[in-house]
Amino acid sequence: MKKIAITGANGYLASLIQTINHADFDFIPVTRKDVDLANPEAVEDYFKTLEYDLVFHAAARTQTADCEKNPLDTHKVNTESAINIAKVCHEKGARFIFLSTEQVFNNRTEDLPYTEETPVDSTSLYGQQKIEVENFLLENQIDGVILRLSWMMGLSYPGIKSSPNIIKNVMKAMFYQKPTLFTVNECRGMTYAKNLAEQFEKIIDLPRGIYHFSSQNALSTYDAAKQVATALGFDDLLIDQYILPDQKRYADHFRNLRLATNKIEAHGINISTFEKDINECLVDFGWLD
């Protein structure tokens, strides 16, 4: 059975991957209790002691505000430790699966979804930290996959806490009757995390290179939030009361963070749509029949 070290093992996506695929792989969960990613030297030493066939590197400090406020600390976690793990994988002859982000394109202004060949351009430190790792992997021909993800979404399972996402944000707004702003001048992919976890085996066996994994979406974040509320059964009057349009954010230029997925689909990976993902998630958790 293939041994897979998985970082950020207590996080939502990594937890789903382990839960859904536990019978097929020997997972080695790596958490903060095992090694501190803010100490890149300790990270390198730690991974040298492990035996594995592959590292699935899901750990990161993903909040953009956190990266801007703590650039040195987040660089150690998001960039230096990731590069050190990749170096050890290269030495051991193990694969390295690196989770990157749509944020590598946040300074581009095209209307179409970005392909893997689109030149990266990011004004956020988080995006820049991920780009630095991507460049290292490509320049050093590290055996593995750079997997750029959209905003992942889902709900909590017993023992598995979901990350902040549009479904939870809409539920909080509607169920607690809390008027909440959602961005009008933005369109991005939003993907049910279970879709990735269920295709984990295919993803880790992809040929070396960059791939986009993102459900397709043509709605603004505001319109997407209204669609979630509608799917939950709320009427238009209540939706308009608690789902509010944020016209100011990105008013200077519309933010497009959509990812093209033709490349990964050509390798047999199924890509969904935002609408289908919302329905599937709400059915899975008993909100819809």
Side-chain angles (χ1 to χ4, degrees), residues 262-288:
N262 307 69
K263 182 178 178 180
I264 201 167
E265 290 182 86
H267 288 276
I269 305 298
N270 295 320
I271 295 298
S272 186
T273 65
F274 170 73
E275 292 87 348
K276 290 180 180 178
D277 280 5
I278 291 300
N279 287 335
E280 183 179 357
C281 181
L282 294 181
V283 168
D284 284 349
F285 286 88
W287 291 99
L288 293 177

PDB file of all heavy atoms in Angstrom, residues 262-288:
ATOM      1  N   ASN A 262      -9.554  22.492 -18.720  1.00  0.00           N
ATOM      2  CA  ASN A 262      -9.469  21.550 -19.850  1.00  0.00           C
ATOM      3  C   ASN A 262      -8.333  20.553 -19.669  1.00  0.00           C
ATOM      4  O   ASN A 262      -8.469  19.368 -20.008  1.00  0.00           O
ATOM      5  CB  ASN A 262      -9.264  22.327 -21.156  1.00  0.00           C
ATOM      6  CG  ASN A 262     -10.312  23.404 -21.363  1.00  0.00           C
ATOM      7  OD1 ASN A 262     -10.321  24.394 -20.639  1.00  0.00           O
ATOM      8  ND2 ASN A 262     -11.183  23.211 -22.332  1.00  0.00           N
ATOM      9  N   LYS A 263      -7.204  21.012 -19.152  1.00  0.00           N
ATOM     10  CA  LYS A 263      -6.027  20.159 -19.044  1.00  0.00           C
ATOM     11  C   LYS A 263      -6.264  18.988 -18.102  1.00  0.00           C
ATOM     12  O   LYS A 263      -5.981  17.828 -18.440  1.00  0.00           O
ATOM     13  CB  LYS A 263      -4.819  20.986 -18.574  1.00  0.00           C
ATOM     14  CG  LYS A 263      -3.524  20.189 -18.482  1.00  0.00           C
ATOM     15  CD  LYS A 263      -2.361  21.088 -18.048  1.00  0.00           C
ATOM     16  CE  LYS A 263      -1.075  20.286 -17.894  1.00  0.00           C
ATOM     17  NZ  LYS A 263       0.064  21.151 -17.465  1.00  0.00           N
ATOM     18  N   ILE A 264      -6.797  19.272 -16.923  1.00  0.00           N
ATOM     19  CA  ILE A 264      -6.993  18.192 -15.953  1.00  0.00           C
ATOM     20  C   ILE A 264      -8.150  17.284 -16.386  1.00  0.00           C
ATOM     21  O   ILE A 264      -8.112  16.062 -16.152  1.00  0.00           O
ATOM     22  CB  ILE A 264      -7.229  18.760 -14.531  1.00  0.00           C
ATOM     23  CG1 ILE A 264      -6.913  17.690 -13.477  1.00  0.00           C
ATOM     24  CG2 ILE A 264      -8.621  19.333 -14.361  1.00  0.00           C
ATOM     25  CD1 ILE A 264      -6.816  18.239 -12.066  1.00  0.00           C
ATOM     26  N   GLU A 265      -9.142  17.836 -17.067  1.00  0.00           N
ATOM     27  CA  GLU A 265     -10.241  17.010 -17.570  1.00  0.00           C
ATOM     28  C   GLU A 265      -9.755  16.033 -18.632  1.00  0.00           C
ATOM     29  O   GLU A 265     -10.273  14.915 -18.728  1.00  0.00           O
ATOM     30  CB  GLU A 265     -11.345  17.902 -18.127  1.00  0.00           C
ATOM     31  CG  GLU A 265     -12.112  18.678 -17.077  1.00  0.00           C
ATOM     32  CD  GLU A 265     -13.233  19.506 -17.674  1.00  0.00           C
ATOM     33  OE1 GLU A 265     -14.343  18.966 -17.852  1.00  0.00           O
ATOM     34  OE2 GLU A 265     -13.001  20.696 -17.966  1.00  0.00           O
ATOM     35  N   ALA A 266      -8.760  16.444 -19.407  1.00  0.00           N
ATOM     36  CA  ALA A 266      -8.203  15.558 -20.438  1.00  0.00           C
ATOM     37  C   ALA A 266      -7.531  14.339 -19.833  1.00  0.00           C
ATOM     38  O   ALA A 266      -7.293  13.340 -20.521  1.00  0.00           O
ATOM     39  CB  ALA A 266      -7.207  16.335 -21.308  1.00  0.00           C
ATOM     40  N   HIS A 267      -7.222  14.386 -18.536  1.00  0.00           N
ATOM     41  CA  HIS A 267      -6.619  13.251 -17.833  1.00  0.00           C
ATOM     42  C   HIS A 267      -7.655  12.468 -17.022  1.00  0.00           C
ATOM     43  O   HIS A 267      -7.286  11.690 -16.130  1.00  0.00           O
ATOM     44  CB  HIS A 267      -5.487  13.736 -16.927  1.00  0.00           C
ATOM     45  CG  HIS A 267      -4.271  14.177 -17.680  1.00  0.00           C
ATOM     46  ND1 HIS A 267      -3.302  13.292 -18.112  1.00  0.00           N
ATOM     47  CD2 HIS A 267      -3.874  15.410 -18.084  1.00  0.00           C
ATOM     48  CE1 HIS A 267      -2.355  13.961 -18.745  1.00  0.00           C
ATOM     49  NE2 HIS A 267      -2.672  15.237 -18.744  1.00  0.00           N
ATOM     50  N   GLY A 268      -8.926  12.661 -17.325  1.00  0.00           N
ATOM     51  CA  GLY A 268      -9.966  11.849 -16.701  1.00  0.00           C
ATOM     52  C   GLY A 268     -10.482  12.356 -15.377  1.00  0.00           C
ATOM     53  O   GLY A 268     -11.208  11.642 -14.680  1.00  0.00           O
ATOM     54  N   ILE A 269     -10.136  13.598 -15.004  1.00  0.00           N
ATOM     55  CA  ILE A 269     -10.643  14.179 -13.763  1.00  0.00           C
ATOM     56  C   ILE A 269     -11.953  14.897 -14.067  1.00  0.00           C
ATOM     57  O   ILE A 269     -12.034  15.715 -14.974  1.00  0.00           O
ATOM     58  CB  ILE A 269      -9.631  15.177 -13.160  1.00  0.00           C
ATOM     59  CG1 ILE A 269      -8.254  14.509 -12.970  1.00  0.00           C
ATOM     60  CG2 ILE A 269     -10.147  15.739 -11.841  1.00  0.00           C
ATOM     61  CD1 ILE A 269      -8.241  13.343 -12.024  1.00  0.00           C
ATOM     62  N   ASN A 270     -12.984  14.577 -13.305  1.00  0.00           N
ATOM     63  CA  ASN A 270     -14.293  15.177 -13.524  1.00  0.00           C
ATOM     64  C   ASN A 270     -14.396  16.543 -12.845  1.00  0.00           C
ATOM     65  O   ASN A 270     -14.073  16.683 -11.660  1.00  0.00           O
ATOM     66  CB  ASN A 270     -15.392  14.260 -12.990  1.00  0.00           C
ATOM     67  CG  ASN A 270     -15.466  12.954 -13.742  1.00  0.00           C
ATOM     68  OD1 ASN A 270     -15.321  12.918 -14.959  1.00  0.00           O
ATOM     69  ND2 ASN A 270     -15.669  11.857 -13.024  1.00  0.00           N
ATOM     70  N   ILE A 271     -14.846  17.527 -13.596  1.00  0.00           N
ATOM     71  CA  ILE A 271     -15.040  18.878 -13.083  1.00  0.00           C
ATOM     72  C   ILE A 271     -16.530  19.186 -13.081  1.00  0.00           C
ATOM     73  O   ILE A 271     -17.243  18.920 -14.054  1.00  0.00           O
ATOM     74  CB  ILE A 271     -14.278  19.903 -13.951  1.00  0.00           C
ATOM     75  CG1 ILE A 271     -12.773  19.657 -13.845  1.00  0.00           C
ATOM     76  CG2 ILE A 271     -14.626  21.327 -13.536  1.00  0.00           C
ATOM     77  CD1 ILE A 271     -12.181  19.819 -12.466  1.00  0.00           C
ATOM     78  N   SER A 272     -17.001  19.787 -11.995  1.00  0.00           N
ATOM     79  CA  SER A 272     -18.424  20.072 -11.843  1.00  0.00           C
ATOM     80  C   SER A 272     -18.695  21.561 -12.081  1.00  0.00           C
ATOM     81  O   SER A 272     -17.854  22.287 -12.603  1.00  0.00           O
ATOM     82  CB  SER A 272     -18.878  19.653 -10.432  1.00  0.00           C
ATOM     83  OG  SER A 272     -20.274  19.787 -10.287  1.00  0.00           O
ATOM     84  N   THR A 273     -19.896  21.997 -11.709  1.00  0.00           N
ATOM     85  CA  THR A 273     -20.264  23.406 -11.752  1.00  0.00           C
ATOM     86  C   THR A 273     -20.642  23.849 -10.344  1.00  0.00           C
ATOM     87  O   THR A 273     -20.991  23.020  -9.486  1.00  0.00           O
ATOM     88  CB  THR A 273     -21.451  23.662 -12.687  1.00  0.00           C
ATOM     89  OG1 THR A 273     -22.621  22.998 -12.157  1.00  0.00           O
ATOM     90  CG2 THR A 273     -21.162  23.142 -14.091  1.00  0.00           C
ATOM     91  N   PHE A 274     -20.617  25.138 -10.127  1.00  0.00           N
ATOM     92  CA  PHE A 274     -21.000  25.671  -8.818  1.00  0.00           C
ATOM     93  C   PHE A 274     -22.419  25.247  -8.455  1.00  0.00           C
ATOM     94  O   PHE A 274     -22.697  24.826  -7.327  1.00  0.00           O
ATOM     95  CB  PHE A 274     -20.879  27.199  -8.830  1.00  0.00           C
ATOM     96  CG  PHE A 274     -21.468  27.865  -7.625  1.00  0.00           C
ATOM     97  CD1 PHE A 274     -20.826  27.779  -6.396  1.00  0.00           C
ATOM     98  CD2 PHE A 274     -22.660  28.569  -7.714  1.00  0.00           C
ATOM     99  CE1 PHE A 274     -21.379  28.385  -5.272  1.00  0.00           C
ATOM    100  CE2 PHE A 274     -23.208  29.180  -6.603  1.00  0.00           C
ATOM    101  CZ  PHE A 274     -22.562  29.092  -5.369  1.00  0.00           C
ATOM    102  N   GLU A 275     -23.339  25.355  -9.413  1.00  0.00           N
ATOM    103  CA  GLU A 275     -24.731  25.008  -9.142  1.00  0.00           C
ATOM    104  C   GLU A 275     -24.879  23.550  -8.714  1.00  0.00           C
ATOM    105  O   GLU A 275     -25.577  23.240  -7.745  1.00  0.00           O
ATOM    106  CB  GLU A 275     -25.585  25.289 -10.384  1.00  0.00           C
ATOM    107  CG  GLU A 275     -25.739  26.761 -10.721  1.00  0.00           C
ATOM    108  CD  GLU A 275     -24.605  27.293 -11.601  1.00  0.00           C
ATOM    109  OE1 GLU A 275     -23.588  26.578 -11.767  1.00  0.00           O
ATOM    110  OE2 GLU A 275     -24.735  28.422 -12.116  1.00  0.00           O
ATOM    111  N   LYS A 276     -24.223  22.640  -9.439  1.00  0.00           N
ATOM    112  CA  LYS A 276     -24.295  21.225  -9.084  1.00  0.00           C
ATOM    113  C   LYS A 276     -23.645  20.962  -7.723  1.00  0.00           C
ATOM    114  O   LYS A 276     -24.135  20.142  -6.940  1.00  0.00           O
ATOM    115  CB  LYS A 276     -23.615  20.380 -10.164  1.00  0.00           C
ATOM    116  CG  LYS A 276     -24.373  20.318 -11.475  1.00  0.00           C
ATOM    117  CD  LYS A 276     -23.634  19.466 -12.504  1.00  0.00           C
ATOM    118  CE  LYS A 276     -24.391  19.387 -13.825  1.00  0.00           C
ATOM    119  NZ  LYS A 276     -23.637  18.598 -14.839  1.00  0.00           N
ATOM    120  N   ASP A 277     -22.553  21.651  -7.459  1.00  0.00           N
ATOM    121  CA  ASP A 277     -21.858  21.466  -6.179  1.00  0.00           C
ATOM    122  C   ASP A 277     -22.735  21.870  -5.003  1.00  0.00           C
ATOM    123  O   ASP A 277     -22.765  21.186  -3.965  1.00  0.00           O
ATOM    124  CB  ASP A 277     -20.566  22.280  -6.154  1.00  0.00           C
ATOM    125  CG  ASP A 277     -19.425  21.599  -6.891  1.00  0.00           C
ATOM    126  OD1 ASP A 277     -19.654  20.539  -7.493  1.00  0.00           O
ATOM    127  OD2 ASP A 277     -18.299  22.131  -6.857  1.00  0.00           O
ATOM    128  N   ILE A 278     -23.428  23.002  -5.133  1.00  0.00           N
ATOM    129  CA  ILE A 278     -24.312  23.452  -4.059  1.00  0.00           C
ATOM    130  C   ILE A 278     -25.393  22.415  -3.792  1.00  0.00           C
ATOM    131  O   ILE A 278     -25.642  22.025  -2.641  1.00  0.00           O
ATOM    132  CB  ILE A 278     -24.947  24.812  -4.414  1.00  0.00           C
ATOM    133  CG1 ILE A 278     -23.890  25.912  -4.405  1.00  0.00           C
ATOM    134  CG2 ILE A 278     -26.059  25.163  -3.428  1.00  0.00           C
ATOM    135  CD1 ILE A 278     -23.183  26.106  -3.100  1.00  0.00           C
ATOM    136  N   ASN A 279     -26.039  21.941  -4.848  1.00  0.00           N
ATOM    137  CA  ASN A 279     -27.099  20.944  -4.671  1.00  0.00           C
ATOM    138  C   ASN A 279     -26.559  19.663  -4.057  1.00  0.00           C
ATOM    139  O   ASN A 279     -27.178  19.083  -3.151  1.00  0.00           O
ATOM    140  CB  ASN A 279     -27.776  20.651  -6.008  1.00  0.00           C
ATOM    141  CG  ASN A 279     -28.675  21.786  -6.465  1.00  0.00           C
ATOM    142  OD1 ASN A 279     -29.156  22.564  -5.643  1.00  0.00           O
ATOM    143  ND2 ASN A 279     -28.902  21.881  -7.756  1.00  0.00           N
ATOM    144  N   GLU A 280     -25.404  19.196  -4.544  1.00  0.00           N
ATOM    145  CA  GLU A 280     -24.830  17.960  -4.018  1.00  0.00           C
ATOM    146  C   GLU A 280     -24.482  18.093  -2.545  1.00  0.00           C
ATOM    147  O   GLU A 280     -24.764  17.194  -1.737  1.00  0.00           O
ATOM    148  CB  GLU A 280     -23.588  17.563  -4.820  1.00  0.00           C
ATOM    149  CG  GLU A 280     -22.980  16.241  -4.368  1.00  0.00           C
ATOM    150  CD  GLU A 280     -21.763  15.839  -5.177  1.00  0.00           C
ATOM    151  OE1 GLU A 280     -21.407  16.556  -6.142  1.00  0.00           O
ATOM    152  OE2 GLU A 280     -21.155  14.803  -4.830  1.00  0.00           O
ATOM    153  N   CYS A 281     -23.871  19.211  -2.187  1.00  0.00           N
ATOM    154  CA  CYS A 281     -23.495  19.418  -0.792  1.00  0.00           C
ATOM    155  C   CYS A 281     -24.718  19.468   0.108  1.00  0.00           C
ATOM    156  O   CYS A 281     -24.752  18.831   1.171  1.00  0.00           O
ATOM    157  CB  CYS A 281     -22.677  20.711  -0.658  1.00  0.00           C
ATOM    158  SG  CYS A 281     -22.129  21.072   1.021  1.00  0.00           S
ATOM    159  N   LEU A 282     -25.743  20.205  -0.302  1.00  0.00           N
ATOM    160  CA  LEU A 282     -26.931  20.335   0.536  1.00  0.00           C
ATOM    161  C   LEU A 282     -27.693  19.025   0.638  1.00  0.00           C
ATOM    162  O   LEU A 282     -28.298  18.720   1.671  1.00  0.00           O
ATOM    163  CB  LEU A 282     -27.833  21.444  -0.014  1.00  0.00           C
ATOM    164  CG  LEU A 282     -27.243  22.859   0.048  1.00  0.00           C
ATOM    165  CD1 LEU A 282     -28.228  23.882  -0.494  1.00  0.00           C
ATOM    166  CD2 LEU A 282     -26.809  23.218   1.459  1.00  0.00           C
ATOM    167  N   VAL A 283     -27.658  18.210  -0.405  1.00  0.00           N
ATOM    168  CA  VAL A 283     -28.258  16.863  -0.329  1.00  0.00           C
ATOM    169  C   VAL A 283     -27.453  15.994   0.624  1.00  0.00           C
ATOM    170  O   VAL A 283     -28.008  15.293   1.477  1.00  0.00           O
ATOM    171  CB  VAL A 283     -28.328  16.216  -1.728  1.00  0.00           C
ATOM    172  CG1 VAL A 283     -28.663  14.736  -1.605  1.00  0.00           C
ATOM    173  CG2 VAL A 283     -29.376  16.918  -2.591  1.00  0.00           C
ATOM    174  N   ASP A 284     -26.120  16.039   0.507  1.00  0.00           N
ATOM    175  CA  ASP A 284     -25.256  15.222   1.357  1.00  0.00           C
ATOM    176  C   ASP A 284     -25.507  15.487   2.838  1.00  0.00           C
ATOM    177  O   ASP A 284     -25.424  14.584   3.673  1.00  0.00           O
ATOM    178  CB  ASP A 284     -23.787  15.488   1.042  1.00  0.00           C
ATOM    179  CG  ASP A 284     -23.326  14.827  -0.229  1.00  0.00           C
ATOM    180  OD1 ASP A 284     -24.076  13.991  -0.768  1.00  0.00           O
ATOM    181  OD2 ASP A 284     -22.215  15.160  -0.703  1.00  0.00           O
ATOM    182  N   PHE A 285     -25.785  16.745   3.178  1.00  0.00           N
ATOM    183  CA  PHE A 285     -25.937  17.111   4.572  1.00  0.00           C
ATOM    184  C   PHE A 285     -27.395  17.248   5.010  1.00  0.00           C
ATOM    185  O   PHE A 285     -27.705  17.751   6.093  1.00  0.00           O
ATOM    186  CB  PHE A 285     -25.176  18.409   4.859  1.00  0.00           C
ATOM    187  CG  PHE A 285     -23.684  18.215   4.904  1.00  0.00           C
ATOM    188  CD1 PHE A 285     -22.933  18.303   3.745  1.00  0.00           C
ATOM    189  CD2 PHE A 285     -23.043  17.895   6.083  1.00  0.00           C
ATOM    190  CE1 PHE A 285     -21.563  18.109   3.761  1.00  0.00           C
ATOM    191  CE2 PHE A 285     -21.670  17.690   6.113  1.00  0.00           C
ATOM    192  CZ  PHE A 285     -20.922  17.795   4.959  1.00  0.00           C
ATOM    193  N   GLY A 286     -28.308  16.766   4.149  1.00  0.00           N
ATOM    194  CA  GLY A 286     -29.716  16.692   4.542  1.00  0.00           C
ATOM    195  C   GLY A 286     -30.510  17.963   4.444  1.00  0.00           C
ATOM    196  O   GLY A 286     -31.656  18.021   4.923  1.00  0.00           O
ATOM    197  N   TRP A 287     -29.969  18.982   3.781  1.00  0.00           N
ATOM    198  CA  TRP A 287     -30.717  20.238   3.620  1.00  0.00           C
ATOM    199  C   TRP A 287     -31.667  20.152   2.430  1.00  0.00           C
ATOM    200  O   TRP A 287     -32.626  20.919   2.335  1.00  0.00           O
ATOM    201  CB  TRP A 287     -29.754  21.405   3.438  1.00  0.00           C
ATOM    202  CG  TRP A 287     -28.976  21.708   4.684  1.00  0.00           C
ATOM    203  CD1 TRP A 287     -27.696  21.319   4.965  1.00  0.00           C
ATOM    204  CD2 TRP A 287     -29.426  22.433   5.830  1.00  0.00           C
ATOM    205  NE1 TRP A 287     -27.320  21.750   6.214  1.00  0.00           N
ATOM    206  CE2 TRP A 287     -28.371  22.451   6.772  1.00  0.00           C
ATOM    207  CE3 TRP A 287     -30.612  23.065   6.150  1.00  0.00           C
ATOM    208  CZ2 TRP A 287     -28.460  23.078   8.006  1.00  0.00           C
ATOM    209  CZ3 TRP A 287     -30.728  23.708   7.394  1.00  0.00           C
ATOM    210  CH2 TRP A 287     -29.656  23.708   8.291  1.00  0.00           C
ATOM    211  N   LEU A 288     -31.378  19.269   1.499  1.00  0.00           N
ATOM    212  CA  LEU A 288     -32.251  19.017   0.346  1.00  0.00           C
ATOM    213  C   LEU A 288     -32.487  17.531   0.224  1.00  0.00           C
ATOM    214  O   LEU A 288     -31.644  16.715   0.623  1.00  0.00           O
ATOM    215  CB  LEU A 288     -31.609  19.529  -0.958  1.00  0.00           C
ATOM    216  CG  LEU A 288     -31.436  21.039  -1.117  1.00  0.00           C
ATOM    217  CD1 LEU A 288     -30.723  21.326  -2.429  1.00  0.00           C
ATOM    218  CD2 LEU A 288     -32.777  21.764  -1.079  1.00  0.00           C
TER     219      LEU A 288
END
